[in-house]
Amino acid sequence: MSDGQQLRIPGPTPLPPEVVAALSKPMINHRSQEFRQLLASVSERLQRVIGTANDVIVLTASGTGGLEAAVANTIEPGDAVLSLCSGYFGERFAQIAERFGAKVAYIRSEPGQPIDPAPVAEAAKKQRFTAVLATHSETSTGVLNDLPAISQALHAAPERPLLLVDGVSSLGAAPLGLADEEYDIAITASQKAWMAPPGLAMLAVSERAFKRAEVCRSPRLYFDVVAARKSASRGETPWTPAETLLYGLDAALDLILLEGVADVFARHRRLSARLRQGLRDLGLSVLSAEAWASPTVTAAFLPAGLAYAQFQAHLEAAYGIQLAGGQGALKDKVFRIGHMGYIADEDIEYLLQSIAGTLQHFAISRGGN
Ligand SMILES: Cc1ncc(COP(=O)(O)O)c(C=O)c1O
């Protein structure tokens, strides 16, 4: 599963050679039967991997564009929105809703902790919200939020709000865990577990969300999911599609389905558990507890006195590995490892050996000071 690429940031992730090859296919007429087949192949198989019968709309955008599309199609100025923030990406989703004029109420968790569903139920009971924004895998902390528990908490509401889910760094590697009627828009992006380059946002959209989009007065043209659905029913996109990226994603879907969706999910669980154990064996503390650890990204505390820049510089110089630093309040406190998509057991072992070597290097040089 691996060819020695050591890009271990939480996206973009390494590309399998089959995907790289697909990216060199010639352009085709996007109003042709050949394109219709490509779009149908991608959308139907995205549904299978996400585990939904809801329509999956593919937009030319990064994950943030997908989040913005979800908001633009459902939220109007003045709407009450409940934002469940367990980190940096939860805050970004909320920021988009604020930019669209929503009145945003926040439920936040401490870094490394998931959202507690009890206050969500309380809030939903007290106030009518148009939408609830939730993050599945919070990439800044390595926490996987319990979406079924959050969805359950929303049953306390007299009228269930729309549930918009940021699944950017989870889908393709983990099940959404929600039935089609329990969520309204789930967003993911090509450069994460999907083993494709950045540039495609994929949105699974419920009937309820389409109905809401039909009447939602927030302005949008490029990101109009109703227009996208109408075009998709003819096998097309409203605007010129990113054909190259669709070829890449199509080839990646071949690989995911060849391995088997359940096996892909199991591999992510196995590799992430091994990584966390290995980090602990090296004396490092993982930010998230096992019970809610993300299968795609892990944040661990830097050893005292070791700056992230030094740590990363040595990992890259000595082992060719690139990790990511902490974000927001966790900047310079944690380092983050992306382990999604095109990654195998031996990559995790190499990563752990490299981190061990790097810790040893600094222990030696610190000892010498
Ligand atoms: C959970 C989550 N949401 C949103 C985003 C933003 O996606 P993009 O950088 O593709 O716009 C990311 C990217 O890391 C993410 O991990």
Side-chain angles (χ1 to χ4, degrees):
M1 268 300 285
S2 161
D3 65 355
Q5 300 174 73
Q6 297 306 329
L7 184 64
R8 301 295 170 218
I9 61 174
T13 61
L15 302 180
E18 293 87 340
V19 173
V20 174
L23 298 177
S24 66
K25 286 191 184 179
M27 292 303 94
I28 53 172
N29 178 356
H30 60 301
R31 308 294 181 211
S32 67
Q33 192 50 25
E34 198 180 348
F35 179 79
R36 286 184 198 106
Q37 275 167 2
L38 173 64
L39 187 65
S41 159
V42 167
S43 337
E44 280 160 21
R45 296 187 308 156
L46 283 171
Q47 283 179 313
R48 276 164 65 188
V49 180
I50 295 172
T52 187
N54 286 334
D55 284 16
V56 178
I57 301 293
V58 183
L59 301 174
T60 308
S62 77
T64 307
L67 300 181
E68 182 152 330
V71 170
N73 282 279
T74 56
I75 294 171
E76 293 178 352
D79 280 349
V81 166
L82 180 61
S83 171
L84 312 180
C85 291
S86 45
Y88 183 85
F89 289 102
E91 300 289 341
R92 183 182 297 178
F93 206 177
Q95 187 189 9
I96 297 170
E98 290 201 351
R99 292 277 176 100
F100 276 77
K103 291 197 186 94
V104 182
Y106 288 83
I107 291 178
R108 293 187 165 95
S109 62
E110 290 298 315
Q113 298 287 320
I115 293 295
D116 177 359
V120 178
E122 277 308 303
K125 223 186 289 179
K126 273 199 215 125
Q127 195 186 342
R128 187 196 163 277
F129 292 103
T130 302
V132 173
L133 312 181
T135 312
H136 194 198
S137 169
E138 176 46 77
T139 314
S140 65
T141 61
V143 162
L144 192 76
N145 281 295
D146 186 347
L147 294 177
I150 289 169
S151 163
Q152 188 60 37
L154 297 181
H155 289 300
E159 193 189 330
R160 188 175 75 73
L162 295 168
L163 177 57
L164 310 184
V165 178
D166 176 346
V168 169
S169 72
S170 60
L171 298 181
L176 182 60
L178 296 173
D180 286 354
E181 55 285 357
E182 285 181 302
Y183 76 92
D184 296 288
I185 305 187
I187 305 104
T188 185
S190 50
Q191 81 277 20
K192 303 284 184 180
W194 300 98
M195 307 189 288
L200 296 177
M202 297 89 86
L203 283 74
V205 184
S206 75
E207 275 313 314
R208 214 166 145 239
F210 280 119
K211 283 210 179 74
R212 168 69 184 162
E214 273 162 20
V215 297
C216 177
R217 287 164 303 181
S218 284
R220 74 273 182 197
L221 178 86
Y222 193 68
F223 281 156
D224 187 338
V225 293
V226 177
R229 180 192 221 186
K230 201 165 155 212
S231 292
S233 70
R234 299 191 304 269
E236 295 180 8
T237 53
W239 332 113
T240 309
E243 293 181 348
T244 303
L245 301 180
L246 287 168
Y247 278 132
L249 182 57
D250 197 42
L253 285 164
D254 284 345
L255 297 174
I256 291 173
L257 291 167
L258 188 68
E259 184 179 351
V261 178
D263 287 349
V264 168
F265 294 170
R267 171 167 55 83
H268 282 85
R269 280 196 303 273
R270 181 180 77 246
L271 264 51
S272 63
R274 167 70 190 119
L275 176 65
R276 291 189 300 274
Q277 187 54 52
L279 291 172
R280 289 192 192 101
D281 292 345
L282 293 174
L284 297 170
S285 314
V286 174
L287 179 58
S288 168
E290 277 304 288
W292 48 77
S294 168
T296 58
V297 53
T298 296
F301 285 96
L302 287 156
L306 182 56
Y308 174 69
Q310 280 178 293
F311 177 69
Q312 172 55 46
H314 185 79
L315 266 177
E316 187 162 4
Y319 305 101
I321 291 179
Q322 293 195 48
L323 303 184
Q327 292 164 301
L330 293 170
K331 195 166 181 330
D332 273 325
K333 294 198 173 115
V334 300
F335 63 93
R336 295 177 304 134
I337 302 171
H339 36 84
M340 60 189 121
Y342 188 50
I343 185 160
D345 297 76
E346 60 268 25
D347 297 315
I348 298 292
E349 297 311 323
Y350 180 72
L351 199 51
L352 287 167
Q353 284 157 21
S354 308
I355 292 172
T358 302
L359 294 179
Q360 211 170 18
H361 168 82
F362 284 108
I364 288 166
S365 54
R366 271 208 304 274
N369 282 341

PDB file of all heavy atoms in Angstrom, residues 319-339:
ATOM      1  N   TYR A 319      15.008  11.690   8.004  1.00  0.00           N
ATOM      2  CA  TYR A 319      14.116  10.588   7.610  1.00  0.00           C
ATOM      3  C   TYR A 319      13.170  10.925   6.466  1.00  0.00           C
ATOM      4  O   TYR A 319      12.380  10.078   6.040  1.00  0.00           O
ATOM      5  CB  TYR A 319      13.280  10.149   8.826  1.00  0.00           C
ATOM      6  CG  TYR A 319      14.129   9.780  10.017  1.00  0.00           C
ATOM      7  CD1 TYR A 319      14.296  10.668  11.072  1.00  0.00           C
ATOM      8  CD2 TYR A 319      14.792   8.543  10.059  1.00  0.00           C
ATOM      9  CE1 TYR A 319      15.097  10.341  12.158  1.00  0.00           C
ATOM     10  CE2 TYR A 319      15.594   8.213  11.147  1.00  0.00           C
ATOM     11  CZ  TYR A 319      15.745   9.118  12.183  1.00  0.00           C
ATOM     12  OH  TYR A 319      16.543   8.793  13.249  1.00  0.00           O
ATOM     13  N   GLY A 320      13.179  12.177   6.026  1.00  0.00           N
ATOM     14  CA  GLY A 320      12.311  12.578   4.910  1.00  0.00           C
ATOM     15  C   GLY A 320      10.844  12.669   5.284  1.00  0.00           C
ATOM     16  O   GLY A 320       9.975  12.665   4.405  1.00  0.00           O
ATOM     17  N   ILE A 321      10.575  12.771   6.574  1.00  0.00           N
ATOM     18  CA  ILE A 321       9.169  12.776   7.026  1.00  0.00           C
ATOM     19  C   ILE A 321       8.673  14.202   7.261  1.00  0.00           C
ATOM     20  O   ILE A 321       9.380  15.015   7.849  1.00  0.00           O
ATOM     21  CB  ILE A 321       9.025  11.981   8.347  1.00  0.00           C
ATOM     22  CG1 ILE A 321       9.249  10.491   8.065  1.00  0.00           C
ATOM     23  CG2 ILE A 321       7.666  12.218   9.004  1.00  0.00           C
ATOM     24  CD1 ILE A 321       9.167   9.624   9.276  1.00  0.00           C
ATOM     25  N   GLN A 322       7.456  14.459   6.814  1.00  0.00           N
ATOM     26  CA  GLN A 322       6.830  15.746   7.125  1.00  0.00           C
ATOM     27  C   GLN A 322       5.593  15.525   7.971  1.00  0.00           C
ATOM     28  O   GLN A 322       4.669  14.819   7.566  1.00  0.00           O
ATOM     29  CB  GLN A 322       6.434  16.462   5.844  1.00  0.00           C
ATOM     30  CG  GLN A 322       7.641  16.865   5.051  1.00  0.00           C
ATOM     31  CD  GLN A 322       7.282  17.869   3.980  1.00  0.00           C
ATOM     32  OE1 GLN A 322       6.599  18.853   4.238  1.00  0.00           O
ATOM     33  NE2 GLN A 322       7.760  17.605   2.787  1.00  0.00           N
ATOM     34  N   LEU A 323       5.600  16.148   9.124  1.00  0.00           N
ATOM     35  CA  LEU A 323       4.418  16.137   9.991  1.00  0.00           C
ATOM     36  C   LEU A 323       3.850  17.554  10.013  1.00  0.00           C
ATOM     37  O   LEU A 323       4.363  18.446   9.337  1.00  0.00           O
ATOM     38  CB  LEU A 323       4.794  15.700  11.409  1.00  0.00           C
ATOM     39  CG  LEU A 323       5.482  14.335  11.551  1.00  0.00           C
ATOM     40  CD1 LEU A 323       5.692  14.010  13.026  1.00  0.00           C
ATOM     41  CD2 LEU A 323       4.674  13.229  10.883  1.00  0.00           C
ATOM     42  N   ALA A 324       2.807  17.760  10.807  1.00  0.00           N
ATOM     43  CA  ALA A 324       2.203  19.094  10.915  1.00  0.00           C
ATOM     44  C   ALA A 324       2.308  19.572  12.361  1.00  0.00           C
ATOM     45  O   ALA A 324       2.338  18.757  13.294  1.00  0.00           O
ATOM     46  CB  ALA A 324       0.740  19.040  10.476  1.00  0.00           C
ATOM     47  N   GLY A 325       2.318  20.877  12.514  1.00  0.00           N
ATOM     48  CA  GLY A 325       2.388  21.444  13.864  1.00  0.00           C
ATOM     49  C   GLY A 325       1.007  21.640  14.468  1.00  0.00           C
ATOM     50  O   GLY A 325      -0.014  21.335  13.838  1.00  0.00           O
ATOM     51  N   GLY A 326       0.974  22.150  15.666  1.00  0.00           N
ATOM     52  CA  GLY A 326      -0.298  22.438  16.341  1.00  0.00           C
ATOM     53  C   GLY A 326      -0.940  23.685  15.760  1.00  0.00           C
ATOM     54  O   GLY A 326      -0.263  24.527  15.170  1.00  0.00           O
ATOM     55  N   GLN A 327      -2.262  23.800  15.942  1.00  0.00           N
ATOM     56  CA  GLN A 327      -2.997  24.960  15.434  1.00  0.00           C
ATOM     57  C   GLN A 327      -3.656  25.683  16.594  1.00  0.00           C
ATOM     58  O   GLN A 327      -4.031  25.067  17.592  1.00  0.00           O
ATOM     59  CB  GLN A 327      -4.086  24.499  14.454  1.00  0.00           C
ATOM     60  CG  GLN A 327      -3.531  23.920  13.172  1.00  0.00           C
ATOM     61  CD  GLN A 327      -4.586  23.140  12.420  1.00  0.00           C
ATOM     62  OE1 GLN A 327      -5.150  22.172  12.942  1.00  0.00           O
ATOM     63  NE2 GLN A 327      -4.880  23.549  11.206  1.00  0.00           N
ATOM     64  N   GLY A 328      -3.857  26.972  16.424  1.00  0.00           N
ATOM     65  CA  GLY A 328      -4.551  27.762  17.442  1.00  0.00           C
ATOM     66  C   GLY A 328      -3.820  27.669  18.771  1.00  0.00           C
ATOM     67  O   GLY A 328      -2.589  27.837  18.841  1.00  0.00           O
ATOM     68  N   ALA A 329      -4.575  27.350  19.818  1.00  0.00           N
ATOM     69  CA  ALA A 329      -4.000  27.300  21.162  1.00  0.00           C
ATOM     70  C   ALA A 329      -2.978  26.169  21.307  1.00  0.00           C
ATOM     71  O   ALA A 329      -2.193  26.149  22.260  1.00  0.00           O
ATOM     72  CB  ALA A 329      -5.120  27.121  22.183  1.00  0.00           C
ATOM     73  N   LEU A 330      -2.986  25.235  20.376  1.00  0.00           N
ATOM     74  CA  LEU A 330      -2.075  24.087  20.481  1.00  0.00           C
ATOM     75  C   LEU A 330      -0.772  24.292  19.697  1.00  0.00           C
ATOM     76  O   LEU A 330       0.079  23.405  19.662  1.00  0.00           O
ATOM     77  CB  LEU A 330      -2.773  22.809  19.987  1.00  0.00           C
ATOM     78  CG  LEU A 330      -3.931  22.343  20.864  1.00  0.00           C
ATOM     79  CD1 LEU A 330      -4.709  21.226  20.188  1.00  0.00           C
ATOM     80  CD2 LEU A 330      -3.417  21.874  22.235  1.00  0.00           C
ATOM     81  N   LYS A 331      -0.629  25.475  19.122  1.00  0.00           N
ATOM     82  CA  LYS A 331       0.583  25.787  18.361  1.00  0.00           C
ATOM     83  C   LYS A 331       1.796  25.653  19.283  1.00  0.00           C
ATOM     84  O   LYS A 331       1.774  26.124  20.417  1.00  0.00           O
ATOM     85  CB  LYS A 331       0.483  27.218  17.826  1.00  0.00           C
ATOM     86  CG  LYS A 331       1.478  27.529  16.750  1.00  0.00           C
ATOM     87  CD  LYS A 331       1.065  28.826  16.063  1.00  0.00           C
ATOM     88  CE  LYS A 331       1.933  29.274  14.937  1.00  0.00           C
ATOM     89  NZ  LYS A 331       3.287  28.986  14.876  1.00  0.00           N
ATOM     90  N   ASP A 332       2.798  24.944  18.805  1.00  0.00           N
ATOM     91  CA  ASP A 332       4.052  24.713  19.545  1.00  0.00           C
ATOM     92  C   ASP A 332       3.894  23.837  20.789  1.00  0.00           C
ATOM     93  O   ASP A 332       4.837  23.675  21.553  1.00  0.00           O
ATOM     94  CB  ASP A 332       4.754  26.039  19.901  1.00  0.00           C
ATOM     95  CG  ASP A 332       5.644  26.470  18.746  1.00  0.00           C
ATOM     96  OD1 ASP A 332       6.221  25.586  18.084  1.00  0.00           O
ATOM     97  OD2 ASP A 332       5.725  27.687  18.481  1.00  0.00           O
ATOM     98  N   LYS A 333       2.689  23.310  20.973  1.00  0.00           N
ATOM     99  CA  LYS A 333       2.484  22.368  22.090  1.00  0.00           C
ATOM    100  C   LYS A 333       2.433  20.936  21.568  1.00  0.00           C
ATOM    101  O   LYS A 333       2.934  20.018  22.194  1.00  0.00           O
ATOM    102  CB  LYS A 333       1.185  22.686  22.828  1.00  0.00           C
ATOM    103  CG  LYS A 333       1.235  24.025  23.530  1.00  0.00           C
ATOM    104  CD  LYS A 333       0.159  24.124  24.595  1.00  0.00           C
ATOM    105  CE  LYS A 333       0.339  25.376  25.397  1.00  0.00           C
ATOM    106  NZ  LYS A 333      -0.770  26.331  25.251  1.00  0.00           N
ATOM    107  N   VAL A 334       1.762  20.768  20.416  1.00  0.00           N
ATOM    108  CA  VAL A 334       1.614  19.409  19.881  1.00  0.00           C
ATOM    109  C   VAL A 334       2.186  19.338  18.465  1.00  0.00           C
ATOM    110  O   VAL A 334       2.375  20.352  17.814  1.00  0.00           O
ATOM    111  CB  VAL A 334       0.130  18.958  19.822  1.00  0.00           C
ATOM    112  CG1 VAL A 334      -0.517  18.967  21.192  1.00  0.00           C
ATOM    113  CG2 VAL A 334      -0.686  19.809  18.848  1.00  0.00           C
ATOM    114  N   PHE A 335       2.439  18.123  18.037  1.00  0.00           N
ATOM    115  CA  PHE A 335       2.655  17.870  16.615  1.00  0.00           C
ATOM    116  C   PHE A 335       1.542  16.940  16.163  1.00  0.00           C
ATOM    117  O   PHE A 335       0.944  16.229  16.978  1.00  0.00           O
ATOM    118  CB  PHE A 335       4.059  17.288  16.353  1.00  0.00           C
ATOM    119  CG  PHE A 335       4.316  15.945  16.980  1.00  0.00           C
ATOM    120  CD1 PHE A 335       4.100  14.771  16.278  1.00  0.00           C
ATOM    121  CD2 PHE A 335       4.778  15.852  18.295  1.00  0.00           C
ATOM    122  CE1 PHE A 335       4.347  13.523  16.853  1.00  0.00           C
ATOM    123  CE2 PHE A 335       5.027  14.614  18.882  1.00  0.00           C
ATOM    124  CZ  PHE A 335       4.811  13.452  18.151  1.00  0.00           C
ATOM    125  N   ARG A 336       1.238  16.996  14.875  1.00  0.00           N
ATOM    126  CA  ARG A 336       0.124  16.188  14.370  1.00  0.00           C
ATOM    127  C   ARG A 336       0.588  15.285  13.238  1.00  0.00           C
ATOM    128  O   ARG A 336       1.401  15.692  12.398  1.00  0.00           O
ATOM    129  CB  ARG A 336      -1.013  17.090  13.887  1.00  0.00           C
ATOM    130  CG  ARG A 336      -1.654  17.891  15.024  1.00  0.00           C
ATOM    131  CD  ARG A 336      -2.725  18.838  14.517  1.00  0.00           C
ATOM    132  NE  ARG A 336      -2.185  19.725  13.518  1.00  0.00           N
ATOM    133  CZ  ARG A 336      -2.765  20.014  12.350  1.00  0.00           C
ATOM    134  NH1 ARG A 336      -3.934  19.478  12.044  1.00  0.00           N
ATOM    135  NH2 ARG A 336      -2.204  20.835  11.499  1.00  0.00           N
ATOM    136  N   ILE A 337       0.053  14.084  13.236  1.00  0.00           N
ATOM    137  CA  ILE A 337       0.409  13.100  12.214  1.00  0.00           C
ATOM    138  C   ILE A 337      -0.864  12.726  11.455  1.00  0.00           C
ATOM    139  O   ILE A 337      -1.870  12.347  12.057  1.00  0.00           O
ATOM    140  CB  ILE A 337       0.992  11.824  12.867  1.00  0.00           C
ATOM    141  CG1 ILE A 337       2.219  12.171  13.713  1.00  0.00           C
ATOM    142  CG2 ILE A 337       1.333  10.784  11.801  1.00  0.00           C
ATOM    143  CD1 ILE A 337       2.733  11.020  14.565  1.00  0.00           C
ATOM    144  N   GLY A 338      -0.793  12.842  10.145  1.00  0.00           N
ATOM    145  CA  GLY A 338      -1.901  12.363   9.321  1.00  0.00           C
ATOM    146  C   GLY A 338      -1.622  10.917   8.942  1.00  0.00           C
ATOM    147  O   GLY A 338      -0.505  10.575   8.537  1.00  0.00           O
ATOM    148  N   HIS A 339      -2.594  10.048   9.140  1.00  0.00           N
ATOM    149  CA  HIS A 339      -2.406   8.635   8.780  1.00  0.00           C
ATOM    150  C   HIS A 339      -3.685   8.143   8.110  1.00  0.00           C
ATOM    151  O   HIS A 339      -4.409   7.307   8.628  1.00  0.00           O
ATOM    152  CB  HIS A 339      -2.022   7.775  10.000  1.00  0.00           C
ATOM    153  CG  HIS A 339      -2.684   8.192  11.281  1.00  0.00           C
ATOM    154  ND1 HIS A 339      -3.939   7.773  11.633  1.00  0.00           N
ATOM    155  CD2 HIS A 339      -2.267   9.014  12.272  1.00  0.00           C
ATOM    156  CE1 HIS A 339      -4.252   8.299  12.814  1.00  0.00           C
ATOM    157  NE2 HIS A 339      -3.262   9.070  13.221  1.00  0.00           N
TER     158      HIS A 339
END
